[in-house]
Amino acid sequence: MSDLDAVLRLCATAFGAPPATGLLEVIAGAGGDQRWTRALVDGLVEEGRVRVDDGLAVLHGDDPDRLPERVVDLAREILAAREPGCRQLLCVAAVLGPSLDLDRIAEMVERPAAVLLPAWQEAFDAGLLRSSDGGDLVFAHEVLRRAIAGSMPAAIRCALLRQHEQGGPAATPAEPAGSHLAGRLTAREQTVMALVARGRSNQQIARSLGISSHAVKRHVSNLLIKFDCSNRTEVALLAVTPQRS
């Protein structure tokens, strides 16, 4: 489904109106892949996350960055069909961000880069990775990367990010900052809170999670309101102080 007109027709049929620019950008993240585009559109409809406003279909809800569960389930299905080594590399790479640093990923899984070549080749042959215009290895599309990352618990994602930032190998995940508040947070809010607690700026968080700085700002604002905090420092303290209510 690489043809934009085909995507627009699908959206208009599913949503009952043509998509607004913001919604179209989200759907374009599937890279025109027919299976993923269909899963994304159907998932948004199933979860009631699209409404028609002034003749255009727009996203709505508390967490517009969250992928539909149907899309995450598709990622789990695809991962289950891969060999364990390939699956591990894809999961680590997806969490680290859009750019694949093969040497860094090799360090994190504590295996020589050359030994990982069959696993990378498997992912490439399966159409999960592609060569960018610059010759780098990247995910086939951004929705795929985000869905693979989203298929893992927030605690594991935070642990992988922490290991990446510290420059060490991937270790057994520890409970991230803010885990004691998980019942009051979305998965994305918990991840953002953990990164705020580690002193990361909005831009740094955006790069780590592969989302926009505007989206990070919105999540931080939600945290300030949700916990009646005056600033980021209070959010960070709350994240690492389970005793505070």
Side-chain angles (χ1 to χ4, degrees):
M1 193 175 295
S2 58
D3 181 69
L4 177 59
D5 289 338
V7 174
L8 291 173
R9 287 195 298 271
L10 171 64
C11 292
T13 300
F15 303 143
T21 301
L23 177 55
L24 185 58
E25 289 176 351
V26 170
I27 296 169
D33 183 285
Q34 183 173 359
R35 185 182 186 189
W36 285 90
T37 300
R38 171 66 70 176
L40 183 56
V41 169
D42 289 348
L44 290 172
V45 172
E46 289 170 355
E47 296 179 12
R49 293 172 55 195
V50 175
R51 70 183 180 195
V52 177
D53 189 1
D54 291 333
L56 293 175
V58 297
L59 278 173
H60 76 102
D62 295 334
D63 190 7
D65 292 320
R66 178 177 58 84
L67 290 174
E69 192 60 29
R70 173 188 281 260
V71 175
V72 177
D73 284 343
L74 178 56
R76 293 191 180 104
E77 176 186 331
I78 288 174
L79 287 173
R82 306 269 63 86
E83 293 294 328
C86 178
R87 190 160 59 240
Q88 180 189 33
L89 292 184
L90 288 171
C91 287
V92 173
V95 171
L96 298 192
S99 299
L100 271 66
D101 185 337
L102 304 190
D103 290 332
R104 178 67 190 113
I105 293 171
E107 291 176 2
M108 290 187 66
V109 300
E110 298 185 278
R111 299 181 68 190
V115 175
L116 300 177
L117 288 178
W120 287 125
Q121 189 65 49
E122 178 186 348
F124 186 84
D125 291 343
L128 304 178
L129 302 176
R130 62 178 176 83
S131 295
S132 68
D133 293 338
D136 296 325
L137 202 59
V138 297
F139 279 93
H141 50 79
E142 181 62 6
V143 169
L144 169 63
R145 184 194 70 79
R146 290 176 55 206
I148 291 176
S151 70
M152 292 176 282
I156 293 178
R157 295 197 300 270
C158 285
L160 288 172
L161 285 171
R162 183 163 53 248
Q163 290 298 327
H164 174 55
E165 292 162 359
Q166 293 173 350
T172 302
E175 283 297 307
S179 59
H180 57 291
L181 302 170
R184 301 174 62 185
L185 300 170
T186 65
R188 179 52 57 84
E189 285 174 344
Q190 186 177 350
T191 303
V192 170
M193 190 179 207
L195 293 172
V196 168
R198 293 204 291 276
R200 301 295 181 261
S201 68
N202 284 357
Q203 289 185 337
Q204 289 172 323
I205 295 173
R207 285 196 297 270
S208 295
L209 301 182
I211 61 178
S212 68
S213 295
H214 178 74
V216 175
K217 183 177 180 180
R218 184 175 64 251
H219 288 307
V220 173
S221 178
N222 288 342
L223 291 170
L224 292 172
I225 295 171
K226 186 172 291 188
F227 297 107
D228 194 25
C229 294
S230 301
N231 50 53
R232 296 168 70 95
T233 301
E234 290 186 10
V235 171
L237 288 173
L238 178 61
V240 298
T241 310
Q243 292 80 9
R244 177 177 171 178
S245 59

